[in-house]
Amino acid sequence: MIWRLAQSTPEVIEVNEPMFLRAWPTIIAAYCGALLASLRSRRRVRIVCYAIENGDAEASFARHFRIAHVISRLLFRLAVNGLVSRVDGMAFGTEGAAANYSRFVASRHRLSLATFSPLEPACSCDDSIESHGVLFVGALEQRKGVAELMAAWESVTGDLPGVTLTVVGKGQMEDVITEWIRTQPSARLVVDLERSDLHHAYRSARVLVLPSLRTPHWREQVGLPIVEALAHGCEIVTTDETGLADWLDRHGHRVVPSELPVGALSAAIREAWRSARPRSEILSSLPERDGRNLAAEWLFAKPDNS
């Protein structure tokens, strides 16, 4: 990788974000390649990155290397500061990521910063389908709040007669959910779904539920099902672990604190279903262009002084 970059003449190189710990060797290699390319072309190669990490990467670093907290904190900050110091432009995908990086980028005068919404425009697929259910899309794992969803649904069905739950995904808890669904006539599991059918699932749902839970090594950065469900006009029920939590709360969706009991999730599902807005109202809150594309255009645009 270093040699390939050194032999080329790139104007801009996009690297992984500095808090992506597993990418540190790749980032350092890209920096070395950029330095050699700059020396060869006698022109400084710009380094840019797109950042969405909203979790505690510092704690993950300490757990991985199993060293004292004081030492790991110092080493982590030195490493991230060093990686950030070579970056010329950083685009944040969520407000949570921008806040997470604030202590590392605040004093970087040469570093250009911007925050972009990760949301997509309204989907152009068939909008004539009647919305009639609640939907979960994601990995069938504990971190996605699957167990909490099952418990919440058992108390919801009596209050929302005729409402169905569709679970789309696969993972470690697939057998558990399959067994649970045998006792729940209003729920069904779909393991493999074609992309076109997934559009239909979103369009058929009135509410998407994604009750993500934080783990020692992971936090929901955005939640692709949330982005896609919004693009189809769904109400969202999720936890405050997603980087979109603030935006969702401001725009009338249900954001439940992840440490609250299952009853709070049940209540949020009921409220979202009963007070669901017209799809057009939800779609009107979305941007006209994909935020990730806007971020890419900004990152690769030539500086004004170039």
Side-chain angles (χ1 to χ4, degrees):
M1 176 181 180
I2 297 175
W3 182 246
R4 188 167 65 251
L5 288 173
Q7 290 296 103
S8 63
T9 56
E11 294 185 4
V12 185
I13 296 175
E14 182 176 4
V15 299
N16 292 108
E17 61 177 300
M19 285 195 194
F20 185 20
L21 307 185
R22 288 180 294 172
W24 281 4
T26 304
I27 296 172
I28 294 171
Y31 286 1
C32 293
L35 175 60
L36 293 176
S38 297
L39 293 174
R40 182 171 176 268
S41 64
R42 297 182 181 180
R43 173 177 45 79
R44 190 177 191 276
V45 176
R46 293 177 57 239
I47 302 291
V48 300
C49 70
Y50 180 76
I52 55 174
E53 181 57 71
N54 62 333
D56 192 349
E58 187 174 316
S60 296
F61 177 84
R63 281 189 295 269
H64 179 76
F65 290 100
R66 299 180 181 179
I67 53 181
H69 176 69
V70 175
I71 298 175
S72 68
R73 181 177 180 179
L74 175 62
L75 292 176
F76 175 82
R77 295 196 174 196
L78 286 173
V80 175
N81 270 308
L83 294 176
V84 170
S85 68
R86 182 57 184 86
V87 177
D88 299 284
M90 183 178 290
F92 299 113
T94 64
E95 296 169 5
N100 205 23
Y101 274 93
S102 61
R103 66 186 186 277
F104 298 105
V105 302
S107 60
R108 306 290 178 182
H109 301 298
R110 185 174 52 81
L111 175 58
S112 298
L113 303 171
T115 301
F116 296 86
S117 167
L119 300 178
E120 301 173 353
C123 184
S124 59
C125 66
D126 182 14
D127 62 357
S128 63
I129 302 171
E130 181 182 356
S131 56
H132 55 73
V134 175
L135 177 67
F136 170 93
V137 177
L140 304 183
E141 300 175 6
Q142 185 63 48
R143 64 190 175 98
K144 293 292 185 175
V146 174
E148 287 71 18
L149 173 61
M150 290 189 294
W153 188 253
E154 290 177 2
S155 66
V156 164
T157 52
D159 298 327
L160 302 177
V163 179
T164 59
L165 169 66
T166 300
V167 177
V168 177
K170 54 186 176 181
Q172 299 170 347
M173 297 184 66
E174 187 177 324
D175 291 342
V176 175
I177 295 173
T178 299
E179 189 65 29
W180 174 76
I181 283 178
R182 289 174 182 164
T183 68
Q184 300 293 320
S186 62
R188 69 185 184 114
L189 171 64
V190 181
V191 176
D192 289 310
L193 204 61
E194 296 293 334
R195 188 65 191 170
S196 59
D197 294 329
L198 185 56
H199 278 270
H200 185 276
Y202 283 125
R203 188 63 71 180
S204 301
R206 183 183 297 186
V207 178
L208 175 97
V209 184
L210 188 68
S212 304
L213 304 174
R214 192 186 305 204
T215 74
H217 304 285
W218 178 86
R219 187 182 184 189
E220 189 77 73
Q221 294 174 337
V222 177
L224 180 60
I226 294 176
V227 174
E228 294 181 335
L230 286 170
H232 291 82
C234 297
E235 297 283 357
I236 306 298
V237 176
T238 188
T239 67
D240 54 7
E241 291 304 325
T242 170
L244 278 173
D246 290 342
W247 185 94
L248 291 167
D249 186 57
R250 289 198 304 269
H251 289 81
H253 299 274
R254 272 67 183 180
V255 178
V256 180
S258 58
E259 68 274 9
L260 286 183
V262 170
L265 179 60
S266 303
I269 295 173
R270 291 190 198 94
E271 292 171 5
W273 178 267
R274 289 170 174 166
S275 60
R277 295 163 288 181
R279 288 187 183 273
S280 58
E281 182 177 337
I282 296 173
L283 296 175
S284 67
S285 66
L286 302 179
E288 295 183 0
R289 295 187 59 198
D290 189 313
R292 185 63 180 92
N293 291 339
L294 291 174
E297 290 177 8
W298 179 84
L299 287 171
F300 285 89
K302 290 186 177 181
D304 294 336
N305 58 354
S306 62

